[in-house]
């Protein structure tokens, strides 16, 4: 898998883990249309989906989906055999409903069981995009593809983000409380400054840079003339550098 593609999937998965509490193994509800497309493209869902997610996945289907696929078996040749490889998830439909109805009922209003849905059914996809936190997977030719989180999902994630950040008024209350308790109010700022002083530029990285660029000594060192940088200069005058490069 190409790196860009891998990164994209991981970013989307990260989104669902952060904002909708998804976790491994990811439960993927697979319907007949997806299996039919997989059969046509001759790809093995069981192999390809875990590879694509680069994580553990659990492939699931429901009784209703199997029954629906069975009734149109001639059109969906081969899809049924693929479907039957997966775990059958209880959907509690005593009289079977259509695959898309069944999936929608399992997702419910907010997908509280954290299902992903693998389908090629456009109208089902449209319906699922309206429910926040439902990862959609479809086949683009031979490539399984996790769709970008829907607008509804992103909007909900944004609102969650906002509720996590401290407002100015809350910040003011915190400040007064800290003052009452005798705690320093600018604690974090001080800590950050200290950290910067401690860390400084890595002396080893300075050495390497100087070796690479011969004759670049004239370049002024920007900003801070920290002790470490000065030391490096003293340690490595031009003739020493030349000696090193000759030895190497
Ligand atoms: Zn069902």
């Amino acid at each position: 898998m190409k790196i860009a593609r891998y990164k994209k999937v991981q970013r989307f998965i990260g989104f669902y883990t952060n904002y909708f509490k998804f976790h491994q193994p990811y439960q993927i509800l697979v319907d007949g249309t997806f299996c039919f497309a997989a059969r046509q493209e001759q790809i093995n869902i069981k192999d390809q989906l875990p590879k694509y997610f680069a994580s553990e996945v659990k492939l699931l289907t429901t009784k209703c989906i199997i029954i629906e696929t069975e009734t149109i078996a001639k059109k969906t040749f081969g899809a049924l055999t693929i479907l039957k490889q997966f775990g059958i998830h209880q959907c509690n439909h005593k009289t079977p409903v259509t695959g898309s109805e069944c999936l929608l009922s399992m997702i419910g209003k907010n997908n509280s069981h954290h299902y992903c849905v693998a389908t090629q059914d456009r109208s089902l996809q449209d319906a699922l995009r309206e429910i926040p936190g439902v990862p959609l997977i479809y086949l683009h030719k031979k490539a399984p593809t996790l769709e970008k989180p829907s607008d509804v999902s992103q909007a909900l994630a944004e609102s969650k983000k906002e509720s996590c950040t401290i407002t100015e008024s809350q910040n003011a209350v915190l400040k007064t409380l800290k003052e009452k308790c005798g705690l320093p109010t600018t604690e974090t700022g001080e800590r950050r400054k200290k950290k910067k002083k401690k860390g400084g530029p890595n002396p080893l990285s300075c050495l390497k840079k100087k070796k690479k660029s011969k004759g670049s000594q004239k370049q002024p060192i920007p900003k801070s003339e920290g002790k470490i940088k000065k030391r490096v200069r003293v340690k490595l005058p031009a003739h020493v550098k030349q000696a090193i490069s000759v030895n190497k």
Side-chain angles (χ1 to χ4, degrees), residues 87-111:
I88 296 176
H89 213 51
Q90 289 299 329
C91 61
N92 300 325
H93 292 126
K94 282 176 187 170
T95 46
V97 295
T98 65
S100 49
E101 265 180 77
C102 183
L103 285 179
L104 282 170
S105 79
M106 289 188 70
I107 298 291
K109 278 183 184 171
N110 54 4
N111 194 14

PDB file of all heavy atoms in Angstrom, residues 87-111:
ATOM      1  N   GLY A  87     -18.732 -13.756  10.521  1.00  0.00           N
ATOM      2  CA  GLY A  87     -19.517 -14.002  11.721  1.00  0.00           C
ATOM      3  C   GLY A  87     -20.925 -13.440  11.545  1.00  0.00           C
ATOM      4  O   GLY A  87     -21.097 -12.409  10.903  1.00  0.00           O
ATOM      5  N   ILE A  88     -21.918 -14.149  12.091  1.00  0.00           N
ATOM      6  CA  ILE A  88     -23.288 -13.640  11.968  1.00  0.00           C
ATOM      7  C   ILE A  88     -23.666 -12.910  13.251  1.00  0.00           C
ATOM      8  O   ILE A  88     -23.615 -13.474  14.333  1.00  0.00           O
ATOM      9  CB  ILE A  88     -24.279 -14.784  11.678  1.00  0.00           C
ATOM     10  CG1 ILE A  88     -23.946 -15.394  10.313  1.00  0.00           C
ATOM     11  CG2 ILE A  88     -25.721 -14.262  11.678  1.00  0.00           C
ATOM     12  CD1 ILE A  88     -24.785 -16.581   9.951  1.00  0.00           C
ATOM     13  N   HIS A  89     -23.987 -11.647  13.069  1.00  0.00           N
ATOM     14  CA  HIS A  89     -24.307 -10.808  14.218  1.00  0.00           C
ATOM     15  C   HIS A  89     -25.814 -10.838  14.459  1.00  0.00           C
ATOM     16  O   HIS A  89     -26.582 -10.734  13.508  1.00  0.00           O
ATOM     17  CB  HIS A  89     -23.843  -9.382  13.915  1.00  0.00           C
ATOM     18  CG  HIS A  89     -23.390  -8.668  15.132  1.00  0.00           C
ATOM     19  ND1 HIS A  89     -22.472  -9.197  15.997  1.00  0.00           N
ATOM     20  CD2 HIS A  89     -23.724  -7.456  15.629  1.00  0.00           C
ATOM     21  CE1 HIS A  89     -22.263  -8.334  16.965  1.00  0.00           C
ATOM     22  NE2 HIS A  89     -23.018  -7.276  16.767  1.00  0.00           N
ATOM     23  N   GLN A  90     -26.215 -10.967  15.706  1.00  0.00           N
ATOM     24  CA  GLN A  90     -27.645 -11.007  16.025  1.00  0.00           C
ATOM     25  C   GLN A  90     -28.277  -9.646  15.760  1.00  0.00           C
ATOM     26  O   GLN A  90     -27.791  -8.632  16.235  1.00  0.00           O
ATOM     27  CB  GLN A  90     -27.832 -11.358  17.520  1.00  0.00           C
ATOM     28  CG  GLN A  90     -27.489 -12.789  17.863  1.00  0.00           C
ATOM     29  CD  GLN A  90     -28.351 -13.798  17.135  1.00  0.00           C
ATOM     30  OE1 GLN A  90     -29.510 -13.534  16.842  1.00  0.00           O
ATOM     31  NE2 GLN A  90     -27.777 -14.954  16.805  1.00  0.00           N
ATOM     32  N   CYS A  91     -29.348  -9.645  14.965  1.00  0.00           N
ATOM     33  CA  CYS A  91     -29.990  -8.366  14.687  1.00  0.00           C
ATOM     34  C   CYS A  91     -31.395  -8.290  15.282  1.00  0.00           C
ATOM     35  O   CYS A  91     -32.047  -7.243  15.212  1.00  0.00           O
ATOM     36  CB  CYS A  91     -30.042  -8.116  13.189  1.00  0.00           C
ATOM     37  SG  CYS A  91     -30.982  -9.356  12.303  1.00  0.00           S
ATOM     38  N   ASN A  92     -31.857  -9.389  15.844  1.00  0.00           N
ATOM     39  CA  ASN A  92     -33.176  -9.425  16.505  1.00  0.00           C
ATOM     40  C   ASN A  92     -34.364  -9.166  15.589  1.00  0.00           C
ATOM     41  O   ASN A  92     -35.407  -8.721  16.055  1.00  0.00           O
ATOM     42  CB  ASN A  92     -33.229  -8.451  17.692  1.00  0.00           C
ATOM     43  CG  ASN A  92     -32.173  -8.795  18.730  1.00  0.00           C
ATOM     44  OD1 ASN A  92     -31.877  -9.978  18.939  1.00  0.00           O
ATOM     45  ND2 ASN A  92     -31.590  -7.795  19.351  1.00  0.00           N
ATOM     46  N   HIS A  93     -34.204  -9.404  14.299  1.00  0.00           N
ATOM     47  CA  HIS A  93     -35.357  -9.310  13.407  1.00  0.00           C
ATOM     48  C   HIS A  93     -35.964 -10.705  13.263  1.00  0.00           C
ATOM     49  O   HIS A  93     -35.347 -11.587  12.664  1.00  0.00           O
ATOM     50  CB  HIS A  93     -34.961  -8.784  12.027  1.00  0.00           C
ATOM     51  CG  HIS A  93     -34.517  -7.358  12.044  1.00  0.00           C
ATOM     52  ND1 HIS A  93     -33.315  -6.928  11.529  1.00  0.00           N
ATOM     53  CD2 HIS A  93     -35.137  -6.249  12.534  1.00  0.00           C
ATOM     54  CE1 HIS A  93     -33.211  -5.618  11.694  1.00  0.00           C
ATOM     55  NE2 HIS A  93     -34.297  -5.184  12.313  1.00  0.00           N
ATOM     56  N   LYS A  94     -37.170 -10.858  13.818  1.00  0.00           N
ATOM     57  CA  LYS A  94     -37.789 -12.192  13.722  1.00  0.00           C
ATOM     58  C   LYS A  94     -38.238 -12.473  12.295  1.00  0.00           C
ATOM     59  O   LYS A  94     -38.022 -13.550  11.764  1.00  0.00           O
ATOM     60  CB  LYS A  94     -38.943 -12.311  14.713  1.00  0.00           C
ATOM     61  CG  LYS A  94     -38.398 -12.547  16.131  1.00  0.00           C
ATOM     62  CD  LYS A  94     -39.482 -12.579  17.167  1.00  0.00           C
ATOM     63  CE  LYS A  94     -38.841 -12.637  18.557  1.00  0.00           C
ATOM     64  NZ  LYS A  94     -39.826 -12.424  19.619  1.00  0.00           N
ATOM     65  N   THR A  95     -38.892 -11.480  11.694  1.00  0.00           N
ATOM     66  CA  THR A  95     -39.175 -11.618  10.268  1.00  0.00           C
ATOM     67  C   THR A  95     -38.135 -10.778   9.532  1.00  0.00           C
ATOM     68  O   THR A  95     -37.977  -9.581   9.828  1.00  0.00           O
ATOM     69  CB  THR A  95     -40.586 -11.082   9.922  1.00  0.00           C
ATOM     70  OG1 THR A  95     -40.747  -9.825  10.559  1.00  0.00           O
ATOM     71  CG2 THR A  95     -41.669 -12.041  10.358  1.00  0.00           C
ATOM     72  N   PRO A  96     -37.395 -11.431   8.632  1.00  0.00           N
ATOM     73  CA  PRO A  96     -36.273 -10.738   7.997  1.00  0.00           C
ATOM     74  C   PRO A  96     -36.669  -9.472   7.236  1.00  0.00           C
ATOM     75  O   PRO A  96     -37.724  -9.424   6.600  1.00  0.00           O
ATOM     76  CB  PRO A  96     -35.712 -11.793   7.031  1.00  0.00           C
ATOM     77  CG  PRO A  96     -36.749 -12.844   6.917  1.00  0.00           C
ATOM     78  CD  PRO A  96     -37.564 -12.806   8.159  1.00  0.00           C
ATOM     79  N   VAL A  97     -35.837  -8.466   7.356  1.00  0.00           N
ATOM     80  CA  VAL A  97     -36.042  -7.204   6.626  1.00  0.00           C
ATOM     81  C   VAL A  97     -34.951  -7.091   5.559  1.00  0.00           C
ATOM     82  O   VAL A  97     -34.081  -7.956   5.478  1.00  0.00           O
ATOM     83  CB  VAL A  97     -35.990  -5.992   7.587  1.00  0.00           C
ATOM     84  CG1 VAL A  97     -37.138  -6.036   8.565  1.00  0.00           C
ATOM     85  CG2 VAL A  97     -34.664  -5.946   8.329  1.00  0.00           C
ATOM     86  N   THR A  98     -34.985  -6.039   4.770  1.00  0.00           N
ATOM     87  CA  THR A  98     -33.938  -5.897   3.742  1.00  0.00           C
ATOM     88  C   THR A  98     -32.587  -5.601   4.399  1.00  0.00           C
ATOM     89  O   THR A  98     -32.539  -5.136   5.548  1.00  0.00           O
ATOM     90  CB  THR A  98     -34.249  -4.728   2.778  1.00  0.00           C
ATOM     91  OG1 THR A  98     -34.195  -3.509   3.536  1.00  0.00           O
ATOM     92  CG2 THR A  98     -35.596  -4.885   2.127  1.00  0.00           C
ATOM     93  N   GLY A  99     -31.536  -5.874   3.657  1.00  0.00           N
ATOM     94  CA  GLY A  99     -30.191  -5.680   4.191  1.00  0.00           C
ATOM     95  C   GLY A  99     -29.966  -4.277   4.708  1.00  0.00           C
ATOM     96  O   GLY A  99     -29.449  -4.089   5.817  1.00  0.00           O
ATOM     97  N   SER A 100     -30.395  -3.282   3.916  1.00  0.00           N
ATOM     98  CA  SER A 100     -30.120  -1.903   4.336  1.00  0.00           C
ATOM     99  C   SER A 100     -30.949  -1.518   5.564  1.00  0.00           C
ATOM    100  O   SER A 100     -30.446  -0.847   6.460  1.00  0.00           O
ATOM    101  CB  SER A 100     -30.368  -0.924   3.196  1.00  0.00           C
ATOM    102  OG  SER A 100     -31.617  -1.166   2.614  1.00  0.00           O
ATOM    103  N   GLU A 101     -32.187  -1.977   5.615  1.00  0.00           N
ATOM    104  CA  GLU A 101     -33.021  -1.710   6.807  1.00  0.00           C
ATOM    105  C   GLU A 101     -32.379  -2.312   8.042  1.00  0.00           C
ATOM    106  O   GLU A 101     -32.335  -1.702   9.115  1.00  0.00           O
ATOM    107  CB  GLU A 101     -34.406  -2.342   6.624  1.00  0.00           C
ATOM    108  CG  GLU A 101     -35.468  -1.409   6.076  1.00  0.00           C
ATOM    109  CD  GLU A 101     -36.799  -2.142   5.934  1.00  0.00           C
ATOM    110  OE1 GLU A 101     -37.479  -2.340   6.956  1.00  0.00           O
ATOM    111  OE2 GLU A 101     -37.118  -2.543   4.796  1.00  0.00           O
ATOM    112  N   CYS A 102     -31.897  -3.551   7.872  1.00  0.00           N
ATOM    113  CA  CYS A 102     -31.280  -4.263   8.994  1.00  0.00           C
ATOM    114  C   CYS A 102     -30.056  -3.503   9.496  1.00  0.00           C
ATOM    115  O   CYS A 102     -29.904  -3.282  10.702  1.00  0.00           O
ATOM    116  CB  CYS A 102     -30.899  -5.663   8.547  1.00  0.00           C
ATOM    117  SG  CYS A 102     -30.202  -6.644   9.858  1.00  0.00           S
ATOM    118  N   LEU A 103     -29.207  -3.081   8.562  1.00  0.00           N
ATOM    119  CA  LEU A 103     -27.993  -2.357   8.951  1.00  0.00           C
ATOM    120  C   LEU A 103     -28.336  -1.038   9.647  1.00  0.00           C
ATOM    121  O   LEU A 103     -27.746  -0.705  10.681  1.00  0.00           O
ATOM    122  CB  LEU A 103     -27.118  -2.086   7.728  1.00  0.00           C
ATOM    123  CG  LEU A 103     -26.352  -3.298   7.191  1.00  0.00           C
ATOM    124  CD1 LEU A 103     -25.540  -2.925   5.963  1.00  0.00           C
ATOM    125  CD2 LEU A 103     -25.424  -3.857   8.258  1.00  0.00           C
ATOM    126  N   LEU A 104     -29.314  -0.324   9.094  1.00  0.00           N
ATOM    127  CA  LEU A 104     -29.696   0.954   9.702  1.00  0.00           C
ATOM    128  C   LEU A 104     -30.219   0.758  11.118  1.00  0.00           C
ATOM    129  O   LEU A 104     -29.931   1.553  12.013  1.00  0.00           O
ATOM    130  CB  LEU A 104     -30.746   1.659   8.839  1.00  0.00           C
ATOM    131  CG  LEU A 104     -30.187   2.367   7.599  1.00  0.00           C
ATOM    132  CD1 LEU A 104     -31.311   2.826   6.692  1.00  0.00           C
ATOM    133  CD2 LEU A 104     -29.321   3.559   8.007  1.00  0.00           C
ATOM    134  N   SER A 105     -30.961  -0.325  11.321  1.00  0.00           N
ATOM    135  CA  SER A 105     -31.488  -0.565  12.673  1.00  0.00           C
ATOM    136  C   SER A 105     -30.360  -0.913  13.637  1.00  0.00           C
ATOM    137  O   SER A 105     -30.416  -0.585  14.816  1.00  0.00           O
ATOM    138  CB  SER A 105     -32.540  -1.672  12.645  1.00  0.00           C
ATOM    139  OG  SER A 105     -31.917  -2.926  12.581  1.00  0.00           O
ATOM    140  N   MET A 106     -29.320  -1.586  13.119  1.00  0.00           N
ATOM    141  CA  MET A 106     -28.195  -1.925  14.007  1.00  0.00           C
ATOM    142  C   MET A 106     -27.351  -0.697  14.353  1.00  0.00           C
ATOM    143  O   MET A 106     -26.804  -0.598  15.447  1.00  0.00           O
ATOM    144  CB  MET A 106     -27.312  -2.981  13.352  1.00  0.00           C
ATOM    145  CG  MET A 106     -28.019  -4.325  13.328  1.00  0.00           C
ATOM    146  SD  MET A 106     -26.963  -5.622  12.790  1.00  0.00           S
ATOM    147  CE  MET A 106     -25.855  -5.755  14.151  1.00  0.00           C
ATOM    148  N   ILE A 107     -27.237   0.217  13.417  1.00  0.00           N
ATOM    149  CA  ILE A 107     -26.470   1.437  13.673  1.00  0.00           C
ATOM    150  C   ILE A 107     -27.231   2.343  14.647  1.00  0.00           C
ATOM    151  O   ILE A 107     -26.633   2.972  15.518  1.00  0.00           O
ATOM    152  CB  ILE A 107     -26.208   2.198  12.342  1.00  0.00           C
ATOM    153  CG1 ILE A 107     -25.378   1.356  11.370  1.00  0.00           C
ATOM    154  CG2 ILE A 107     -25.554   3.555  12.586  1.00  0.00           C
ATOM    155  CD1 ILE A 107     -23.956   1.122  11.750  1.00  0.00           C
ATOM    156  N   GLY A 108     -28.548   2.371  14.492  1.00  0.00           N
ATOM    157  CA  GLY A 108     -29.374   3.197  15.385  1.00  0.00           C
ATOM    158  C   GLY A 108     -29.132   4.674  15.172  1.00  0.00           C
ATOM    159  O   GLY A 108     -28.722   5.095  14.083  1.00  0.00           O
ATOM    160  N   LYS A 109     -29.367   5.453  16.229  1.00  0.00           N
ATOM    161  CA  LYS A 109     -29.250   6.914  16.081  1.00  0.00           C
ATOM    162  C   LYS A 109     -27.816   7.404  16.158  1.00  0.00           C
ATOM    163  O   LYS A 109     -27.469   8.435  15.597  1.00  0.00           O
ATOM    164  CB  LYS A 109     -30.077   7.609  17.167  1.00  0.00           C
ATOM    165  CG  LYS A 109     -31.542   7.709  16.797  1.00  0.00           C
ATOM    166  CD  LYS A 109     -32.291   8.464  17.869  1.00  0.00           C
ATOM    167  CE  LYS A 109     -33.780   8.478  17.552  1.00  0.00           C
ATOM    168  NZ  LYS A 109     -34.574   9.010  18.660  1.00  0.00           N
ATOM    169  N   ASN A 110     -27.012   6.676  16.926  1.00  0.00           N
ATOM    170  CA  ASN A 110     -25.649   7.203  17.121  1.00  0.00           C
ATOM    171  C   ASN A 110     -24.553   6.138  17.028  1.00  0.00           C
ATOM    172  O   ASN A 110     -23.438   6.369  17.473  1.00  0.00           O
ATOM    173  CB  ASN A 110     -25.562   7.934  18.465  1.00  0.00           C
ATOM    174  CG  ASN A 110     -26.024   7.044  19.599  1.00  0.00           C
ATOM    175  OD1 ASN A 110     -26.335   5.866  19.371  1.00  0.00           O
ATOM    176  ND2 ASN A 110     -26.074   7.569  20.800  1.00  0.00           N
ATOM    177  N   ASN A 111     -24.852   5.000  16.466  1.00  0.00           N
ATOM    178  CA  ASN A 111     -23.847   3.938  16.278  1.00  0.00           C
ATOM    179  C   ASN A 111     -23.101   3.644  17.581  1.00  0.00           C
ATOM    180  O   ASN A 111     -21.865   3.647  17.625  1.00  0.00           O
ATOM    181  CB  ASN A 111     -22.860   4.347  15.173  1.00  0.00           C
ATOM    182  CG  ASN A 111     -22.013   3.176  14.697  1.00  0.00           C
ATOM    183  OD1 ASN A 111     -22.313   2.016  14.995  1.00  0.00           O
ATOM    184  ND2 ASN A 111     -20.959   3.464  13.971  1.00  0.00           N
TER     185      ASN A 111
END
